[in-house]
């Protein structure tokens, strides 16, 4: 039979200051742990949302990123003519031959030049990205030096406000609109006409070819044929997998850093919990003796003190996760080292993170509370009672 | 003194009990060879100088300590041979404790403190409530159920502790200097209660005390000194001597 739960809970309440300090330490660790996982989840969500399930992306073999890729016009034409590619309303294949370039643009306020991705899109570029919606101004007109800017970029860089002019590729471009790409990586890009960009940057090759499949089930067949074609030295990927791979290195880095930090911090929090619980056992030695005399078994004493430590951890978790949840309002923008360009994303709280951080907090409580609980349970009754 | 009228068999039979403590490297004998019978319904007072082993003997009888040698038969069961858990369960069902410093749980109310031993039983919440209210009424603290120990006087706390001691209707009540920390008036109340537990409820009581007035409540007094028990001392005879 256990000691009533109220006994454990009220003892936490009875020493409020210690409880708050100890739970606060745990809350901090939970916060760091959850925030890092949320960062990772946000990054993945952003990059995964960038890919459409029935789109493919063709890049030069082993290029990894669009920046390092090159697909010449002949190769692009072969890709375009494949039978698996969907046809649009006018009978033209739904294909966008794109050029992706980095420009260094000063940030507003600080003036620090930061890499921004410029994407010249082809005819079907918008049709391929239904998540992209114009939210201010209008879309650029093909064949002009007009550009539109992603939601996360707009206003944050010099020359990216509506109606402003921005200079790159030896030309002036006019910002005619801003678009929302549904939290995807496109939100951190500048878009304009593909052919215009090719001319401006004096490029002979496209960076990539994006296309829609008529039937996503035909992907394997298409890839096998294209990758086996000796005229082409191309990688054919589902757009979604491509962007998932883009996030891998950063995601791994964030996860390792976060987990390492959390583990180091958690040692402090666990030692804190252990000290608190040892003090609780020492202060309540006579009570423990009385409980045992009344007939509570050693196991019940162990459980009562362990429960106390776990409640402490639960409190720390609740506070930590609440603060972490508030971080969802914050937008992060950072360098994606895989594409070397600015990428904006949000802390994203998922059910998995809630559960993981709860388990992490309970593990801290368990480790911190275990030895003190064992000491409480191992006391000899007569010795404990003499401590009165 | 009641032996002739009631040749009842002993509830507790203690035989050749020995107990020593190890202090530093030395073994200090506390009890050497105690033999004692306590009959059901007895109210036994244990007296003796400080450090003579009264608490040690009481703890052995109550099953919270183990002797080095000898046996303690309670209703025919040798409790010195019970395992840790069996002994805990035996205490829960058989022994009520009254300590010198009350030993209530500070974070629980008077009601909850009295209820505590019942959480070890299968009684429902409603049944527990009926028992707890009756016990608190018996000790005259019905009005103080929701009070925490810190909000009660020493005498009131000890009465709560007495209610806790009888709540699971144990056959034996052990009390270690129950009035040791109380003023004269509170001590008298507590002793009157102990008397009622014995006479009205028929509880067998073993009470350690320093206090002559307390000892007068007992039917029989035993003196413990230098590890030995001097038996059959009638408190009245002693006091007139
Ligand atoms: N748990 C213990 N560990 C070591 N020595 C003890 C312990 N309990 C009692 N003693 C010693 O045994 C002797 C008897 O103690 P106790 O039974 O408490 O005496 P009393 O209750 O008669 O004052 C004392 O010398 C005391 O110091
Ligand atoms: Mg004593």
């Amino acid at each position: 039979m256990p000691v009533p739960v109220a006994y454990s809970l009220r003892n936490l309440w009875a020493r409020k200051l210690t409880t708050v300090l100890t739970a606060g330490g745990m809350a901090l660790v939970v916060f760091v742990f959850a925030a890092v996982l949320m960062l990772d989840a946000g990054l993945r969500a952003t990059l995964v949302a960038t890919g459409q399930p029935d789109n493919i992306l063709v890049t030069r073999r082993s290029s990894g990123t669009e920046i390092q890729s090159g697909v010449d016009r002949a190769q692009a034409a072969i890709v375009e003519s494949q039978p698996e590619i969907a046809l649009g309303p006018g009978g033209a294949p739904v294909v966008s031959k794109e050029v992706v370039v980095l420009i260094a643009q000063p940030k507003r306020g600080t003036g620090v030049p930061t890499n921004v991705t410029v994407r010249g899109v082809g005819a079907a570029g918008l049709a391929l990205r239904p998540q992209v919606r114009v939210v201010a101004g209008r879309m650029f007109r093909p064949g002009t030096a007009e550009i539109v800017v992603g939601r996360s970029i707009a206003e944050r860089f010099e020359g990216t406000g509506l109606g402003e002019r921005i200079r790159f590729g030896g030309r002036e471009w006019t910002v005619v609109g801003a678009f929302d790409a549904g939290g995807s990586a496109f939100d951190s890009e500048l878009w304009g006409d593909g052919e215009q960009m090719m001319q401006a940057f004096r490029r002979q090759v496209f960076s990539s070819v994006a296309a829609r499949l008529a039937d996503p089930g035909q992907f394997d067949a298409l890839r096998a044929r294209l990758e086996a074609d000796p005229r082409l030295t191309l990688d054919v990927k589902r757009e979604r997998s491509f962007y998932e791979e883009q996030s891998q290195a950063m995601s791994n880095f964030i996860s390792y850093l976060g987990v390492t930090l959390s583990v180091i911090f958690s040692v402090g929090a666990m030692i804190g919990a252990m000290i608190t619980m040892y003090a609780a056992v020492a202060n309540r030695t006579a009570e423990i003796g009385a409980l045992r005399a009344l007939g509570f078994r050693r196991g019940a004493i162990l459980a009562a003190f362990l429960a106390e430590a776990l409640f402490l951890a639960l409190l720390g978790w609740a506070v930590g996760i609440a603060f972490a949840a508030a971080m969802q309002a914050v937008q992060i923008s950072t360098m994606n080292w895989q594409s070397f360009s600015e990428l904006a994303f949000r802390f994203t709280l998922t059910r998995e993170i809630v559960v993981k951080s709860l388990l992490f907090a309970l593990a801290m409580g368990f480790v911190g509370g275990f030895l003190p609980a064992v000491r409480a349970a191992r006391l000899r009754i007569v010795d404990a009672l003499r401590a009165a | 003194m009641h032996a002739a009228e009631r040749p009842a068999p002993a509830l507790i039979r203690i035989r050749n009990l020995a107990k020593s403590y190890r202090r530093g490297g030395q073994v200090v004998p506390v009890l050497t060879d105690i033999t004692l019978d306590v009959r059901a319904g007895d109210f036994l007072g244990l007296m003796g100088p400080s450090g003579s082993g009264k608490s040690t003997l009481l703890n052995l009888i109550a099953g919270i300590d183990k002797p080095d040698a000898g046996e303690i038969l309670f209703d025919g069961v040798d409790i010195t041979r019970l395992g840790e858990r069996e002994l805990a369960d035996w205490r829960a069902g058989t022994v009520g404790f009254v300590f010198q410093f009350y030993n209530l749980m500070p974070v629980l109310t008077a009601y909850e403190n009295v209820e505590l031993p019942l959480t070890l039983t299968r009684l429902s919440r409603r049944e527990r409530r009926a028992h707890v209210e009756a016990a608190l009424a018996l000790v005259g603290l019905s009005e103080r159920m929701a009070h925490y120990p810190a909000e009660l006087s020493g005498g009131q706390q000890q009465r709560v502790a007495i209610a806790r001691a009888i709540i699971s209707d144990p056959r034996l009540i052990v009390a270690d200097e129950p009035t040791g920390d109380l003023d004269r008036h509170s001590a008298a109340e507590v002793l009157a209660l102990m008397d009622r537990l014995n006479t009205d409820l028929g509880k067998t009581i073993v009470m350690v005390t320093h206090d002559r007035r307390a000892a007068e409540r007992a039917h029989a007094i035993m003196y413990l000194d230098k590890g030995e028990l001097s038996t059959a001392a009638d408190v009245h005879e002693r006091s007139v001597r």
Side-chain angles (χ1 to χ4, degrees):
Chain A
M1 293 285 176
V3 179
V5 174
Y7 175 75
S8 303
L9 282 177
R10 297 227 195 116
N11 272 301
L12 288 177
W13 182 248
R15 48 184 157 90
K16 288 183 205 62
L17 182 65
T18 325
T19 297
V20 164
L21 290 177
T22 315
M26 291 181 153
L28 195 69
V29 177
V30 168
F31 174 79
V32 170
F33 181 75
V36 167
L37 293 182
M38 285 166 68
L39 207 62
D40 187 32
L43 177 71
R44 281 167 189 278
T46 296
L47 288 169
V48 169
T50 310
Q52 294 291 314
D54 49 356
N55 284 1
I56 59 163
L57 196 73
V58 180
T59 50
R60 196 186 65 213
R61 181 157 304 160
S62 311
S63 55
T65 66
E66 288 177 282
I67 300 294
Q68 290 155 25
S69 165
V71 181
D72 68 32
R73 288 180 185 272
Q75 292 177 326
I78 294 173
V79 172
E80 197 172 24
S81 64
Q82 296 301 311
E84 289 86 354
I85 306 292
L87 299 180
V94 185
V95 167
S96 174
K97 294 178 258 188
E98 309 199 327
V99 50
V100 180
V101 181
L102 290 182
I103 59 166
Q105 189 65 13
K107 283 195 170 173
R108 262 196 231 279
T110 63
V112 176
T114 303
N115 279 346
V116 176
T117 303
V118 174
R119 181 181 300 270
V121 297
L126 287 167
L128 282 164
R129 279 75 177 230
Q131 74 268 44
V132 172
R133 287 178 303 112
V134 173
V135 291
R138 56 175 176 78
M139 189 41 72
F140 65 86
R141 278 176 311 198
T144 66
E146 292 177 351
I147 56 166
V148 288
V149 298
R151 178 176 57 90
S152 315
I153 299 282
E155 313 286 346
R156 291 192 26 240
F157 287 84
E158 284 176 14
T160 56
L162 211 56
E164 284 189 278
R165 282 161 184 278
I166 179 168
R167 192 169 177 85
F168 61 80
R171 268 209 222 174
E172 290 241 302
W173 306 78
T174 308
V175 178
V176 296
F179 63 87
D180 183 337
S184 68
F186 298 133
D187 273 324
S188 305
E189 296 183 352
L190 295 177
W191 281 18
D193 180 84
E195 290 298 337
Q196 293 293 316
M197 300 268 175
M198 291 283 272
Q199 287 172 25
F201 290 106
R202 294 196 180 78
R203 293 200 33 162
Q204 302 304 319
V205 297
F206 297 108
S207 302
S208 61
V209 177
R212 169 155 316 146
L213 295 177
D215 170 8
Q218 294 176 319
F219 172 76
D220 289 332
L222 175 62
R223 182 179 64 177
R225 176 149 22 81
L226 287 179
E227 291 191 349
D229 192 324
R231 293 168 297 171
L232 310 171
T233 45
L234 301 176
D235 274 338
V236 178
K237 289 181 179 158
R238 290 186 191 273
E239 199 180 23
R240 187 158 277 181
S241 336
F242 178 85
Y243 283 105
E244 259 167 9
E245 287 166 18
Q246 295 277 291
S247 67
Q248 206 56 57
M250 184 124 131
S251 172
N252 287 347
F253 175 76
I254 292 176
S255 306
Y256 286 134
L257 183 73
V259 168
T260 308
L261 272 181
S262 304
V263 167
I264 292 170
F265 285 10
S266 74
V267 172
M270 284 185 295
I271 290 173
M274 200 177 286
I275 291 171
T276 301
M277 290 309 299
Y278 268 129
V281 173
N283 288 334
R284 305 211 310 263
T285 300
E287 277 178 53
I288 295 165
L291 286 170
R292 293 280 312 283
L294 294 182
F296 288 96
R297 295 177 175 181
R298 286 187 197 274
I301 302 296
L302 182 86
F305 279 87
L306 210 47
E308 207 166 304
L310 291 177
F311 282 130
L312 202 56
L314 206 59
L315 182 66
W317 170 78
V319 172
I321 203 78
F323 276 100
M327 290 295 287
Q328 288 182 103
V330 178
Q331 175 166 290
I332 296 285
S333 97
T334 183
M335 180 74 94
N336 181 352
W337 295 292
Q338 223 137 357
S339 62
F340 293 105
S341 61
E342 178 88 355
L343 180 68
F345 53 96
R346 286 179 181 282
F347 287 92
T348 307
L349 187 57
T350 64
R351 183 185 300 260
E352 192 192 347
I353 294 173
V354 172
V355 172
K356 272 189 182 171
S357 61
L358 176 61
L359 294 179
F360 185 56
L362 291 178
M364 280 194 288
F366 186 86
V367 173
F370 187 72
L371 289 179
V374 166
R375 175 180 287 184
R378 289 181 61 156
L379 286 169
R380 291 182 59 236
I381 303 174
V382 284
D383 293 339
L385 285 171
R386 280 163 66 93
Chain B
M1 60 179 172
H2 298 293
E5 308 150 33
R6 276 198 304 166
L11 177 64
I12 308 171
R13 290 167 61 96
I14 297 171
R15 292 293 176 270
N16 311 108
L17 202 62
K19 176 76 180 174
S20 52
Y21 284 109
R22 205 156 282 118
R23 204 174 308 140
Q26 276 185 310
V27 176
V28 183
V30 179
L31 305 174
T32 43
D33 183 20
I34 303 288
T35 290
L36 167 69
D37 280 356
V38 181
R39 288 161 307 176
D42 267 357
F43 188 160
L44 175 68
L46 263 181
M47 297 188 78
S50 179
S52 57
K54 304 182 294 295
S55 296
T56 301
L57 177 56
L58 194 72
N59 292 343
L60 290 169
I61 294 173
I64 57 175
D65 203 359
K66 291 270 185 180
D68 300 338
E71 57 186 26
I72 303 171
L73 294 164
F74 187 97
D75 206 9
V77 177
D78 187 353
I79 62 165
T80 66
R81 289 169 194 275
L82 293 182
E84 177 93 28
R85 290 171 174 205
E86 292 168 303
L87 200 54
D89 295 348
W90 175 82
R91 286 195 302 271
T94 317
V95 190
F97 287 85
V98 181
F99 305 99
Q100 178 174 359
F101 299 107
Y102 336 126
N103 286 38
L104 300 174
M105 303 300 132
V107 297
L108 301 182
T109 62
Y111 179 94
E112 291 163 336
N113 266 290
V114 176
E115 189 188 26
L116 202 52
L118 292 186
T119 64
L120 289 165
T121 67
R122 292 178 185 283
L123 293 183
S124 73
R125 187 177 284 264
R126 275 184 58 198
E127 290 166 320
R128 296 206 300 260
R129 171 157 279 271
H131 281 85
V132 173
E133 283 174 354
L136 281 169
L138 182 79
V139 299
L141 288 173
S142 294
E143 310 301 309
R144 302 294 168 123
M145 286 200 297
H147 288 231
Y148 287 91
E151 299 165 349
L152 299 172
S153 72
Q156 288 171 330
Q157 288 188 58
Q158 193 60 298
R159 278 147 63 196
V160 172
I162 290 171
R164 178 179 69 181
I166 57 168
I167 193 67
S168 46
D169 199 20
R171 292 163 75 189
L172 172 66
I173 291 190
V174 295
D176 196 345
E177 306 198 27
T179 59
D181 202 45
L182 297 179
D183 62 71
R184 206 179 250 261
H185 176 73
S186 299
E189 279 181 344
V190 162
L191 288 171
L193 263 175
M194 298 294 289
D195 201 32
R196 280 188 62 197
L197 300 189
N198 178 247
T199 51
D200 297 358
L201 304 180
K203 301 294 176 202
T204 305
I205 299 179
V206 181
M207 178 173 77
V208 168
T209 186
H210 263 121
D211 180 359
R212 259 193 194 281
R213 219 178 307 273
E216 279 170 13
R217 294 284 180 170
H219 300 162
I221 301 279
M222 296 277 180
Y223 288 90
L224 195 57
D225 200 0
K226 302 194 175 68
E228 312 221 347
L229 210 52
S230 46
T231 56
D234 187 316
V235 68
H236 299 295
E237 287 171 19
R238 282 240 177 183
S239 55
V240 292
R241 198 174 47 142

